[in-house]
Amino acid sequence: MRLLSIFTNSFAHGVHPAHHKGQTENLAIQRVPFGSRFVMPLGQHIGIPALAVVKKGDKVRRGQLIAKAGGFVSTALHSPVTGTISEISPQRTIDGSFKESIVIKADPFSSQRIDSTPPAAWEKLSLEEFIQTVQQAGIVGMGGAAFPSHVKYSIPEGAQIDDLLINGAECEPYLTNDHRLMVERAEAVIDGSEILRQKLGAKQATIGVEKNKPEAIKTLQDALRQRPSAPIKIAALEVKYPQGAEKMLIQSVYKREIPAGALPRDIGVAVNNVGTIVAIADLFSQGMPLIERIVTVSGPGIDRPANLTVPLGTSVRDVLEFCGGLNDKSREIIMGGPMMGFPIASLDVPILKGSSGILAFTAKETARPHEYPCIRCGRCLEACPYFLNPSRLALLSRNRRYEETAEYHIMDCVECGACSYACPSNIPISQLIRTAKNNLKQHPLEEAA
Ligand code: SF4
Ligand code: SF4
């Protein structure tokens, strides 16, 4: 039965920041030329870092395995470039910390064509073999969190996935990399969705897209018309932040809530970003492991914004130079979107699997507005999609009463920043909450006491 349909829905609370997508939404994806030095940190996501299987001096080909998964919640790493391992040592990464990394000196004279064989046909793989193949290809959630994808596909015995939900909301302002993927690679989105839907045994798939991406919706609709047997729907969603947060997306599309502490799979849903879905399609059609990703470069501090295919490990400096460099007004570089991203202190840090955007901001966007006392207006409560009490959490954090924040369910906070955005007193609520969460993670015994 044909299941193509359009419906509109949303979730409770949230905020409406300006989109700022016009700078890049119509810019086709370009490929960044290969640089000379690539840095691949062994730990690029939540979980256990990968284990290097190469040593200094080894020659590597583009797409070759350079580090294997270090455990179950871990994925492999592959060389983004043909070249020579120049060192394995701690290197600065985007959060400012130094992480053990494989550094590759690119060979300027070698072909950078990928020379890999697709894995066995996905139809012939058991679910366990499929999960292993995805893990060995290094595939993670491409929406920013970079959670190892295969972990999501490991369904506990007795559980059943009924619905595959594809996240094409891209609710962060400025970012348009998912939008361009849906416009330019709609067929790969459909192919990847069908591979994953069938492997997980889901009855149907839904692609959730915010309504401010009409071109993506239309292109996906056109692609679906060519695939009448695919049980895939498109959900046109209200433009609201954080529409792309997993639990919000599920609420918007299915009108179902996930209980605190539960996962989407507990209600029979698997959620995947469109970038992840395309990575799965590319793995099974071309044998392409995760060695590059789409990055949006935007903001008023850059004169030539772009959507780019960037080999992982490329430095932020090389990407910005490809875009003509920073202009005189640029003051701060943000990795990711403006709501959940963070500033970087050095341009000599690598693009990682979860790097969705590089934003160059001027004094106007980075000005820290004067902070006023809380006026108990309740706007942060109205903004919080998780129905938390952000003002209370911020106050407890400011007074270093971290243990008490647990009573207010601080760990349910996804650090979306909607509360900070809504606060008329300019209180950095989500930053204070992040501080308290980090403290609780570092001192779990005190939390339990
Ligand atoms: S408390 Fe957390 S989840 Fe709620 S709006 Fe603030 S940052 Fe988002
Ligand atoms: S939005 Fe700001 S001022 Fe209003 S209650 Fe929350 S913390 Fe206080």
Side-chain angles (χ1 to χ4, degrees):
M1 188 178 76
R2 188 68 194 274
L3 281 173
L4 171 63
S5 71
I6 293 280
F7 52 92
T8 302
N9 255 319
S10 195
F11 60 94
H13 292 188
V15 291
H16 294 89
H19 310 170
H20 296 291
K21 292 184 188 270
Q23 231 182 338
T24 55
E25 66 189 348
N26 295 317
L27 298 179
I29 298 166
Q30 302 173 67
R31 184 168 282 281
V32 168
F34 287 92
S36 56
R37 183 176 186 266
F38 292 77
V39 175
M40 295 289 280
L42 291 167
Q44 298 205 14
H45 50 67
I46 295 166
I48 306 162
L51 300 169
V53 296
V54 290
K55 58 184 188 315
K56 184 177 173 181
D58 284 356
K59 300 270 183 208
V60 288
R61 282 175 294 102
R62 178 164 151 82
Q64 181 182 324
L65 183 79
I66 55 173
K68 62 181 182 182
F72 180 61
V73 187
S74 180
T75 62
L77 286 179
H78 302 78
S79 181
V81 68
T82 296
T84 307
I85 306 296
S86 59
E87 56 185 302
I88 301 177
S89 59
Q91 300 287 322
R92 190 192 293 274
T93 61
I94 55 175
D95 65 1
S97 66
F98 281 76
K99 289 198 176 116
E100 192 74 357
S101 305
I102 299 174
V103 184
I104 307 151
K105 184 174 182 290
D107 183 343
F109 303 112
S110 283
S111 162
Q112 294 295 354
R113 250 193 25 208
I114 186 150
D115 182 22
S116 59
T117 319
W122 61 268
E123 296 93 334
K124 293 188 179 152
L125 298 178
S126 66
L127 180 58
E128 197 179 323
E129 290 165 337
F130 175 79
I131 287 168
Q132 278 172 9
T133 306
V134 170
Q135 181 181 25
Q136 283 161 11
I139 294 176
V140 300
M142 304 290 278
F147 187 73
S149 298
H150 67 280
V151 178
K152 280 189 176 181
Y153 308 154
S154 307
I155 307 157
E157 216 171 303
Q160 164 71 36
I161 297 296
D162 296 317
D163 294 280
L164 173 63
L165 181 53
I166 313 299
N167 189 349
E170 200 169 50
C171 57
E172 271 274 12
Y174 289 94
L175 302 186
T176 58
N177 48 303
D178 285 348
H179 173 218
R180 291 312 308 178
L181 257 188
M182 289 185 280
V183 169
E184 297 179 39
R185 303 215 49 208
E187 281 171 17
V189 174
I190 309 297
D191 287 344
S193 301
E194 272 303 89
I195 293 172
L196 194 54
R197 184 189 69 76
Q198 292 186 39
K199 292 319 298 180
L200 296 181
K203 296 182 191 77
Q204 58 186 1
T206 305
I207 307 172
V209 188
E210 279 193 343
K211 284 194 292 179
N212 61 355
K213 302 173 189 68
E215 195 185 354
I217 292 172
K218 183 178 179 311
T219 315
L220 288 167
Q221 275 182 291
D222 291 345
L224 280 171
R225 280 194 194 95
Q226 308 304 314
R227 304 279 288 273
S229 62
I232 300 177
K233 295 188 265 189
I234 300 168
L237 307 167
E238 184 188 335
V239 181
K240 185 159 76 163
Y241 182 86
Q243 188 69 264
E246 245 179 29
K247 290 189 178 184
M248 303 306 104
L249 196 62
I250 288 172
Q251 253 183 50
S252 297
V253 172
Y254 303 118
K255 294 278 176 230
R256 294 175 71 187
E257 283 195 27
I258 303 178
L263 296 170
R265 73 180 181 205
D266 297 331
I267 61 160
V269 178
V271 187
N272 281 256
N273 176 267
V274 283
T276 312
I277 292 295
V278 170
I280 286 174
D282 288 347
L283 169 63
F284 287 98
S285 63
Q286 305 163 31
M288 173 102 157
L290 191 61
I291 53 172
E292 57 191 30
R293 65 156 298 136
I294 315 297
V295 180
T296 298
V297 183
S298 189
I302 191 117
D303 292 330
R304 279 172 35 199
N307 282 303
L308 303 168
T309 299
V310 183
L312 300 178
T314 303
S315 74
V316 170
R317 186 181 297 283
D318 283 352
V319 176
L320 290 172
E321 277 175 11
F322 178 74
C323 295
L326 298 169
N327 62 33
D328 293 343
K329 293 180 286 170
S330 178
R331 291 288 175 278
E332 194 166 78
I333 301 300
I334 306 288
M335 292 303 289
M339 301 295 283
M340 291 189 75
F342 49 87
I344 51 171
S346 166
L347 298 184
D348 295 310
V349 291
I351 295 293
L352 306 179
K353 293 179 179 183
S355 305
S356 52
I358 304 174
L359 305 181
F361 280 166
T362 67
K364 187 174 163 217
E365 294 79 33
T366 55
R368 305 282 180 257
H370 183 74
E371 190 183 325
Y372 296 95
C374 173
I375 54 171
R376 296 174 183 270
C377 65
R379 287 195 203 165
C380 55
L381 280 89
E382 284 165 21
C384 180
Y386 287 81
F387 290 81
L388 299 175
N389 186 338
S391 62
R392 184 79 192 150
L393 290 169
L395 187 66
L396 289 171
S397 175
R398 183 156 271 165
N399 293 330
R400 296 173 187 265
R401 290 160 61 187
Y402 302 127
E403 288 83 1
E404 286 175 60
T405 62
E407 293 165 28
Y408 290 85
H409 305 285
I410 193 170
M411 287 306 178
D412 287 346
C413 169
V414 295
E415 300 171 27
C416 69
C419 49
S420 303
Y421 177 83
C423 179
S425 293
N426 304 320
I427 298 170
I429 308 171
S430 55
Q431 289 91 321
L432 286 163
I433 291 175
R434 190 177 295 165
T435 303
K437 280 176 75 177
N438 287 341
N439 193 281
L440 284 181
K441 280 180 202 159
Q442 282 164 14
H443 305 286
L445 288 179
E446 281 97 297
E447 182 194 2

